[in-house]
Amino acid sequence: MTGQELLGLIMLLVMIGVIFIGFPISFTLLFLGLTFGYFSFGETVFELAYFQTIGMMKTELLAAVPLFIFMGFITEQAGLMERLFTAFRILLAPVRGALFAVVILTATVFAMATGIVGAAVTVLGIMASPIMIKTGYDAKLSAGAITAGGTLGILIPPSVMLIVMGPVLGVPVTDLYAAAFGPGFLLAAIYLIYLLGRAFVNPRLGPPVPKEERVHSVGKILFEVAIGVVPLFALIAATLGSILAGIATPTEAAAVGALGATVLAIAYRRLTYAGMKQAVLSTTATASMVLLLAVTSNIFGAVFARLGTANWITTAMLALPLPPTVMLIMVIVLIFILGWPFEWPAIVLVFLPIFYPVVTALKFDMVWFGALVAVTLQTAFLSPPVAMSAYYLKQVVKEWSLGTIYKGMFEFMILQCVAIGIIVAFPQVATYFPDRLREAANAVRVEAPDESETGAGSYTTQDSYEDELRHALRDERTAGQAENKGEEEKEQGDDLEKGDMKPEVEKKPQ
Amino acid sequence: MVQRIDRFTDLTGTWVAWLNVPLVLVVCHEVVMRYVFDAPTIWVFDVTYMLYAAVFMLGSAYALHKGAHIRTDFFFERWSIRTRGTIDSVAYIVFFFPSLLVFLVVTFDQALYAFRIHEMSDQTPWRPLLWPFKAVIPLTCLLLLIQGVSELVKSFYAARTGVELEHKEKVEI
């Protein structure tokens, strides 16, 4: 271990210690990056910091972050969630535990229209909890259903977390999106089975909607569904469909989604100047927080990488006499533990780059790993005592004590762990969909005249274990640079994908 | 003084926030041009990243004002207002101001240089002038420093009296 590597290790430990104190992480990282950098390689650090900043500012892919957040806020303003909720409630009224199912389904669909968690838990809390309390639903299960369902927003595309994670792991965001669908729907299904099962065994936990409150006219039901559900589904299909089909980049799809949501809001007569202003302001605050942290953590990461400590950590961890799977489980458990005190932006941007070389060297499928991390972080949203979603819910539902909410969330945390286990045991849950998409793209590529290699599939295949190991251990292959490389690769991947996909679109008629 | 700074940041933050709307429209314009008319533009790519960068960089002062920049509140939440104020005051003086001042000087030089030599982007054939884009970084530092003064006064007040001048809600993520 050289002096510089030691300095880097000290830098890492100081960082973890200092950010626990509670000053905004972005500025702490900037300060530590500049100070330690100045100590070790003088004024070069300022240029390094400057180029990292400009580099982040030029990453067009990340423009999807504000756009998807904006889309989520507008969708919320348009009252689409309320409509969705009403429509599902009318449809499912006779079922035992109807409201549980309504909450989960509404949350799942809404998760496909928004990239963050806050809105979903808040809105579900406001809408569902009064009815649940009135009709005598079990408080613990209700709180658990709302918080667990609401947190799906961070996992199911268009999750902002996955956009930020793509460049960090050096995989196309499209692949991550495709990979997150399986686990997302798996979780929704597990929640549903659990809740309906409990309600079926003991109807007192969640009675069906009383007969007199049900809507009996089929016309009215169809009308609610047509007006409340169909437009939103169309918007989601257009946005996510175009990304997954490789027709549009995430940025383009996000912009179209944002515009579509605005049009829907106008159509429902819910768009006001004040509402619009609130939406752009909230978008700016949230996007700025995530992206400024991306900038400063990149500066920190670049200094850290130059000191060479990342390689040292990788070598040290690989020297441990453990099989790869155990190492992977260790990394996941570590991320879960970090998820307690830290919010996801800190984990994805600050800590994930540190684990990245280790996981690369272990030759795991990065897309699968990304999906696994996403589910783990979503679980962290549900883990007492510092779970964000409990905080959101408590703000809007005064009747439930924090203790009740925590107990409810705990039951769902167990379900989450079951889901993580399933994804580890059967990676197909996550990889099936992206693999099919990639195969489709490859099939077209073979037919296409140009034989350009690379594209979506090239990151994960062919390289032998030793090769990857050497890659990971080579001097320049350090965390910060790997990150940059990932971004470049991503951009290239995007371009190539666009180029490669076109033939498919044109060929379909044949 | 504090109120004046806060109002200034609110105002500039609102201007910046409205940039989200042209961002949506510009990208949608490109989508329509490319997929409907099959005539992609040469300027949208540059404008997109420039708008996006302007939104999140210049918006960071507004985010600071609203308390959006995440903290690790594992311990922070349990401490008294006085302790929190002390921590913030020290951190603003030791971490925040020095690093942003230095960064301001460094990036201002870069932007000035880009302005002097009429540096143009080499990312696309459109080749826009780069100095306004590069000027975003020192401007961000400046806005953050201005808002930082207000935050420092507020946290200093909290440390002295144990009363919060304003309560910041957690941002939705």
Side-chain angles (χ1 to χ4, degrees):
Chain A
M1 188 180 208
T2 65
Q4 287 218 327
E5 282 169 0
L6 182 68
L7 195 65
L9 196 63
I10 295 171
M11 178 178 171
L12 184 68
L13 296 176
V14 169
M15 184 270 287
I16 293 173
V18 174
I19 61 178
F20 258 109
I21 296 174
F23 193 64
I25 298 172
S26 296
F27 305 115
T28 310
L29 288 179
L30 181 66
F31 173 77
L32 290 178
L34 291 181
T35 327
F36 275 87
Y38 191 75
F39 258 123
S40 353
F41 31 86
E43 295 198 355
T44 321
V45 72
F46 299 128
E47 308 239 315
L48 196 66
Y50 170 73
F51 284 115
Q52 289 292 337
T53 313
I54 282 283
M56 284 303 289
M57 288 165 69
K58 277 189 180 170
T59 312
E60 194 248 6
L61 164 76
L62 291 178
V65 171
L67 288 170
F68 271 131
I69 296 176
F70 187 54
M71 177 181 167
F73 278 121
I74 292 285
T75 320
E76 186 194 346
Q77 294 245 324
L80 286 170
M81 215 165 157
E82 283 90 341
R83 286 184 180 273
L84 210 58
F85 187 80
T86 319
F88 278 133
R89 189 155 69 103
I90 293 173
L91 268 179
L92 297 172
V95 184
R96 273 183 194 177
L99 287 174
F100 290 144
V102 172
V103 164
I104 298 296
L105 286 176
T106 310
T108 311
V109 176
F110 196 69
M112 289 191 272
T114 183
I116 53 176
V117 164
V121 176
T122 315
V123 178
L124 277 176
I126 293 171
M127 282 185 316
S129 63
I131 318 175
M132 288 176 141
I133 292 167
K134 204 178 77 188
T135 46
Y137 270 62
D138 181 58
K140 266 192 318 190
L141 273 184
S142 307
I146 292 174
T147 45
T151 49
L152 286 175
I154 204 67
L155 178 63
I156 296 181
S159 155
V160 168
M161 181 170 81
L162 294 177
I163 304 180
V164 178
M165 197 189 280
V168 172
L169 293 180
V171 291
V173 174
T174 316
D175 281 9
L176 277 183
Y177 271 6
F181 269 116
F185 290 142
L186 174 74
L187 276 168
I190 292 180
Y191 297 158
L192 266 182
I193 292 168
Y194 177 71
L195 286 167
L196 292 184
R198 291 282 305 262
F200 190 78
V201 174
N202 182 1
R204 266 184 317 175
L205 293 175
V209 176
K211 276 220 166 58
E212 54 273 23
E213 279 182 32
R214 288 182 208 168
V215 178
H216 293 287
S217 107
V218 179
K220 180 116 197 306
I221 294 177
L222 282 180
F223 176 77
E224 273 298 332
V225 170
I227 214 173
V229 181
V230 173
L232 186 61
F233 266 105
L235 181 67
I236 291 169
T239 313
L240 294 182
S242 60
I243 300 179
L244 294 179
I247 301 170
T249 65
T251 308
E252 288 167 343
V256 172
L259 191 69
T262 316
V263 170
L264 274 187
I266 294 171
Y268 287 131
R269 299 184 197 291
R270 289 289 294 266
L271 195 75
T272 57
Y273 173 76
M276 191 75 178
K277 187 176 162 190
Q278 194 48 52
V280 290
L281 282 174
S282 308
T283 304
T284 308
T286 305
S288 191
M289 179 274 285
V290 175
L291 295 168
L292 192 74
L293 185 64
V295 168
T296 52
S297 63
N298 254 25
I299 294 174
F300 182 88
V303 172
F304 185 66
R306 246 185 109 113
L307 290 172
T309 320
N311 290 330
W312 180 81
I313 292 178
T314 312
T315 324
M317 282 188 79
L318 289 180
L320 294 177
L322 294 170
T325 319
V326 177
M327 291 280 279
L328 180 86
I329 291 171
M330 252 173 59
V331 169
I332 292 293
V333 169
L334 211 53
I335 288 174
F336 178 72
I337 292 171
L338 287 170
W340 263 340
F342 298 112
E343 323 290 9
W344 69 260
I347 295 172
V348 171
L349 291 164
V350 182
F351 294 107
L352 206 50
I354 298 172
F355 297 131
Y356 171 79
V358 180
V359 182
T360 320
L362 291 173
K363 209 186 159 214
F364 283 111
D365 182 350
M366 271 298 163
V367 174
W368 172 68
F369 178 69
L372 207 53
V373 171
V375 178
T376 311
L377 289 180
Q378 189 229 344
T379 311
F381 254 94
L382 287 173
S383 52
V386 271
M388 286 296 271
S389 45
Y391 173 84
Y392 297 138
L393 188 60
K394 179 65 194 158
Q395 269 186 328
V396 290
V397 189
K398 305 289 180 227
E399 287 89 343
W400 293 334
S401 74
L402 217 46
T404 314
I405 298 178
Y406 282 157
K407 274 182 206 148
M409 280 166 43
F410 191 71
E411 291 176 26
F412 283 84
M413 244 182 79
I414 297 170
L415 297 182
Q416 293 283 127
C417 295
V418 171
I420 295 177
I422 293 178
I423 299 167
V424 173
F426 307 98
Q428 299 89 334
V429 174
T431 56
Y432 179 81
F433 195 28
D435 282 350
R436 287 295 86 75
L437 286 178
R438 225 177 282 158
E439 257 169 36
N442 282 334
V444 174
R445 210 170 291 147
V446 173
E447 290 169 35
D450 69 308
E451 287 169 9
S452 63
E453 239 305 289
T454 69
S458 66
Y459 306 112
T460 44
T461 47
Q462 283 138 20
D463 282 23
S464 66
Y465 178 75
E466 289 82 3
D467 255 9
E468 297 238 359
L469 198 70
R470 226 174 320 150
H471 268 295
L473 294 180
R474 221 188 294 161
D475 265 1
E476 63 267 23
R477 180 82 171 188
T478 45
Q481 279 157 343
E483 247 178 276
N484 291 339
K485 192 155 170 272
E487 267 152 37
E488 279 159 30
E489 274 174 3
K490 166 67 197 137
E491 264 167 33
Q492 285 168 8
D494 253 356
D495 291 340
L496 284 165
E497 255 169 55
K498 247 183 278 166
D500 287 340
M501 282 304 198
K502 269 211 168 135
E504 184 193 29
V505 178
E506 285 160 12
K507 270 192 179 123
K508 263 188 183 148
Q510 291 176 0
Chain B
M1 167 92 156
V2 169
Q3 279 177 349
R4 207 172 285 171
I5 292 178
D6 283 358
R7 234 178 292 142
F8 168 79
T9 301
D10 263 333
L11 189 67
T12 50
T14 314
W15 292 343
V16 172
W18 281 115
L19 288 179
N20 278 305
V21 176
L23 177 59
V24 172
L25 295 179
V26 162
V27 181
C28 285
H29 171 81
E30 167 75 7
V31 169
V32 172
M33 289 308 281
R34 185 184 314 154
Y35 298 107
V36 180
F37 298 109
D38 203 15
T41 58
I42 62 164
W43 54 274
V44 164
F45 182 80
D46 287 290
V47 173
T48 304
Y49 73 73
M50 286 181 177
L51 277 173
Y52 131 83
V55 166
F56 90 84
M57 290 292 283
L58 298 176
S60 57
Y62 176 79
L64 181 65
H65 172 36
K66 292 291 163 201
H69 293 295
I70 48 162
R71 303 161 172 274
T72 315
D73 39 22
F74 199 64
F75 300 120
F76 199 74
E77 244 177 11
R78 290 167 220 186
W79 283 326
S80 70
I81 293 173
R82 218 174 265 256
T83 318
R84 283 189 232 169
T86 315
I87 289 172
D88 269 0
S89 308
V90 172
Y92 271 111
I93 293 168
V94 178
F95 291 176
F96 186 87
F97 286 107
S99 41
L100 280 169
L101 270 174
V102 170
F103 210 47
L104 171 70
V105 174
V106 173
T107 53
F108 181 76
D109 280 348
Q110 295 276 2
L112 197 65
Y113 180 69
F115 177 71
R116 285 227 185 90
I117 63 165
H118 291 282
E119 188 187 351
M120 290 189 288
S121 164
D122 51 6
Q123 293 217 324
T124 61
W126 184 46
R127 310 211 65 191
L129 275 179
L130 268 186
W131 69 263
F133 177 64
K134 293 197 163 173
V136 162
I137 311 177
L139 196 58
T140 300
C141 294
L142 188 67
L143 290 174
L144 275 171
L145 285 169
I146 293 173
Q147 184 57 34
V149 172
S150 160
E151 297 301 319
L152 175 63
V153 173
K154 277 181 237 169
S155 47
F156 195 66
Y157 185 83
R160 286 289 299 275
T161 62
V163 180
E164 275 184 309
L165 278 178
E166 65 169 354
H167 183 71
K168 295 186 196 298
E169 287 292 334
K170 274 189 203 172
V171 70
E172 293 180 340
I173 53 170

